[in-house]
Amino acid sequence: MVFSLALRFLRNREVAEELAQDVFLQCFRQLDNIEDAAHACSWLRRAICHRSIDELRKRRYRPAIGLDDIPEPAAAGAMPDLLMRDRLRALVGALPEKARMVVVLRYQEDLAPTEIAELLEMPVSTVKSHLHRSLALLRGRLEKKNLAKAGRPGELPVTGVCL
C-alpha cells in the first residue's frame, strides 16, 4: 500500500521505493506510539501521502517514460482502452499536488472522503471540492481532446481505467 501510493502519485519507481523505505524506517522508530494495526495503517498512509507531496515539491518532478508505463497484463474480460488509460494517467499527473493525492486516494485506495480528510488533515468539504474540481477538469480535458464519449452529467465516461 505504501509503495503503491507513492508510485501512483510520483510515477517514478526508484523515488517511490526510496520514500517507502524511509516511511517504514520512520514507522519502526515510532513503534512505541502505534496502538494497533488500524492505527499503523492510517499512520503509514498519512506519512506516505505527506512525504510524496513534499518530494514532488522538492524535486519539481517531471515524469519520464519507462518500463513502469508499460501496461500490465489484464485479467480475462473486456480489453481496456490503453490509450484512454495513458491519457487519463497523464491528466491526473498534471493535477496540483493536493488534488492529485485526493484523486489517487479516492480511486486507487477506494477511501471515503472522510477518510481522506482525516489522512490529509483537511476539511471534508475541501476533499469533496478537490474531487469535484478535479473530475470536472479531467472530464473537460478528455472531451476537449474528443477522447471521451458523452455520458450522464456528473459522470466521468471512462470504464475499466485504473489510475
Side-chain angles (χ1 to χ4, degrees):
M1 168 198 63
V2 172
F3 170 73
S4 177
L5 271 171
L7 180 62
R8 294 289 185 207
F9 184 75
L10 297 169
R11 300 185 334 161
N12 182 311
R13 181 175 281 289
E14 292 79 24
V15 175
E17 287 172 351
E18 187 90 19
L19 282 181
Q21 261 185 336
D22 289 346
V23 166
F24 280 116
L25 183 59
Q26 186 180 5
C27 180
F28 179 75
R29 291 179 183 145
Q30 298 289 325
L31 273 178
D32 294 338
N33 298 332
I34 296 180
E35 300 161 6
D36 56 17
H39 183 236
C41 184
S42 175
W43 189 94
L44 287 169
R45 271 195 183 120
R46 180 178 294 121
I48 197 63
C49 288
H50 289 291
R51 291 292 304 271
S52 296
I53 290 170
D54 292 344
E55 184 68 24
L56 187 68
R57 288 178 180 161
K58 184 176 91 179
R59 293 187 182 215
R60 300 285 181 215
Y61 178 74
R62 299 283 181 226
I65 296 175
L67 292 177
D68 294 332
D69 295 328
I70 297 173
E72 294 181 23
M79 287 295 292
D81 185 351
L82 298 180
L83 177 64
M84 178 62 78
R85 182 174 66 191
D86 292 341
R87 299 267 184 188
L88 189 56
R89 279 187 182 167
L91 290 173
V92 169
L95 291 172
E97 294 94 4
K98 293 256 182 180
R100 183 181 337 162
M101 185 57 76
V102 168
V103 169
V104 169
L105 287 170
R106 178 68 183 108
Y107 295 105
Q108 179 193 334
E109 292 295 310
D110 199 28
L111 295 179
T114 54
E115 295 171 312
I116 297 169
E118 183 180 319
L119 269 174
L120 298 179
E121 298 170 343
M122 64 174 60
V124 176
S125 59
T126 303
V127 170
K128 288 179 180 180
S129 68
H130 276 309
L131 282 172
H132 179 73
R133 278 190 238 129
S134 297
L135 291 177
L137 181 67
L138 292 173
R139 189 178 305 108
R141 287 183 180 168
L142 285 172
E143 288 171 354
K144 190 177 199 178
K145 294 183 180 191
N146 292 326
L147 293 174
K149 296 177 183 173
R152 293 187 305 223
E155 177 183 304
L156 188 61
V158 179
T159 59
V161 176
C162 296
L163 300 177

